[in-house]
Amino acid sequence: MKKPILFYIALSMALTLVFIAIFAKYLAPYNPEFVELSAKLQLPGPDHWLGTDHMGRDVFSRLVTGTQLSLSIAGIVTLINLCIGVPLGLMVGWAGGGVEKTFTWLTNIVLAFPPFLLSMAFAGILGQGLGNIIIAVSSVGWVPYARVIRNMVVLMKDQEYVLGAKTMGAPVPYILRVHILPFVFKPILIMALMSIGEVVMMISGFSFLGIGVQPNVSEWGMMLNDAKSYIRSIPGLAIYPGMAILITVVTFNLLGEYLKKQERVDLWRD
């Protein structure tokens, strides 16, 4: 099937963002945390390509470093969600019965609240800091993974090849690992891609509200927070990080949505 042009654009943008994140140290012309008050609020020019902020810090360097930070946190959170959600979804889906009913009841309570608000509540309790933000977002993010994997296991455990393996006396961990887990790879990939943009937006939102990273950290949401007072005089200070967030969210959502459309079986509903 021929892939649409948007897919290739999104893939190119995703690879570009990953490249920037990996080589941010070499791409940033200045130390993003270096304060030079004599150079504050400069307009874009040959010395500072995107100008400087209210503390004289180079905006381009902070934007590049923010790419590294945002994608790194999103990657860590996604990995934690996978490590919790996938095994739990496999076990609950296979166990069925009361275990599945209890799991569904508990996750329904979690999903009754918007993920952003629930994560924000945890972030407010834990306080500022990268570690606390990762814990706050991960505490909610594993639930959709577990639900989708649970659905897949329920659909697949009555298939003939799975029943045949059970009849031959294959242990449950073996059946889950060999006969079921390979078939959940694509939905896991789709959810992971789409969650990257969601996590980036959450982290930026927390920082903008003052409950995210520390004020001196180069992060897109914190850059937006710093730019609030200068939105009319120097709108670029808010436009640059805002566009970075928008591009990242749209890029990974487009990749995930395309792959989701290719999924023949509807596993996304409970």
Side-chain angles (χ1 to χ4, degrees):
M1 182 176 180
K2 187 177 180 180
K3 295 181 175 61
I5 187 65
L6 280 178
F7 171 81
Y8 291 108
I9 294 174
L11 181 61
S12 300
M13 289 302 303
L15 293 175
T16 301
L17 289 169
V18 172
F19 176 84
I20 293 173
I22 293 174
F23 297 102
K25 180 180 178 180
Y26 306 100
L27 295 174
Y30 297 93
N31 181 345
E33 312 303 338
F34 179 71
V35 175
E36 187 178 0
L37 295 178
S38 61
K40 67 179 182 180
L41 299 178
Q42 288 188 2
L43 296 177
D47 293 331
H48 300 281
W49 300 338
L50 298 181
T52 59
D53 65 6
H54 65 295
M55 299 184 70
R57 297 171 296 192
D58 183 66
V59 174
F60 179 78
S61 298
R62 289 176 62 78
L63 203 64
V64 169
T65 306
T67 305
Q68 183 182 61
L69 180 64
S70 295
L71 291 187
S72 297
I73 296 176
I76 293 171
V77 170
T78 301
L79 182 60
I80 293 174
N81 290 338
L82 288 171
C83 291
I84 297 175
V86 174
L88 189 59
L90 288 171
M91 291 187 292
V92 170
W94 185 267
V99 174
E100 186 179 1
K101 290 181 181 178
T102 303
F103 169 83
T104 303
W105 178 74
L106 291 174
T107 53
N108 280 341
I109 295 176
V110 176
L111 294 175
F113 300 92
F116 181 84
L117 293 181
L118 199 55
S119 297
M120 185 173 66
F122 287 128
I125 294 171
L126 295 172
Q128 288 184 318
L130 292 178
N132 291 339
I133 292 302
I134 291 173
I135 294 172
V137 178
S138 301
S139 63
V140 179
W142 61 269
V143 175
Y145 290 89
R147 296 270 291 210
V148 169
I149 300 304
R150 189 278 315 263
N151 292 348
M152 295 195 69
V153 175
V154 170
L155 288 174
M156 298 172 64
K157 68 181 182 180
D158 292 329
Q159 297 295 318
E160 291 183 2
Y161 63 91
V162 176
L163 295 175
K166 289 173 61 178
T167 302
M168 294 177 64
V172 173
Y174 175 84
I175 295 175
L176 292 175
R177 186 179 72 253
V178 175
H179 295 289
I180 294 181
L181 188 57
F183 294 94
V184 305
F185 174 77
K186 189 172 182 180
I188 290 173
L189 175 62
I190 294 170
M191 295 192 69
L193 284 173
M194 298 183 72
S195 70
I196 290 175
E198 182 180 0
V199 173
V200 167
M201 193 160 53
M202 280 188 179
I203 297 166
S204 300
F206 295 161
S207 297
F208 180 76
L209 295 173
I211 57 174
V213 300
Q214 298 293 336
N216 62 328
V217 176
S218 297
E219 193 273 330
W220 293 337
M222 186 55 65
M223 292 176 68
L224 280 172
N225 185 289
D226 292 339
K228 287 188 300 184
S229 302
Y230 310 96
I231 189 67
R232 293 186 178 181
S233 57
I234 310 179
L237 292 177
I239 291 174
Y240 301 138
M243 288 299 297
I245 296 170
L246 176 63
I247 290 171
T248 302
V249 173
V250 171
T251 292
F252 287 101
N253 279 359
L254 282 176
L255 288 177
E257 283 293 341
Y258 174 79
L259 294 175
K260 186 176 177 180
K261 288 180 181 179
Q262 310 310 306
E263 190 70 32
R264 295 178 181 274
V265 182
D266 186 4
L267 300 168
W268 306 92
R269 294 180 297 181
D270 290 318

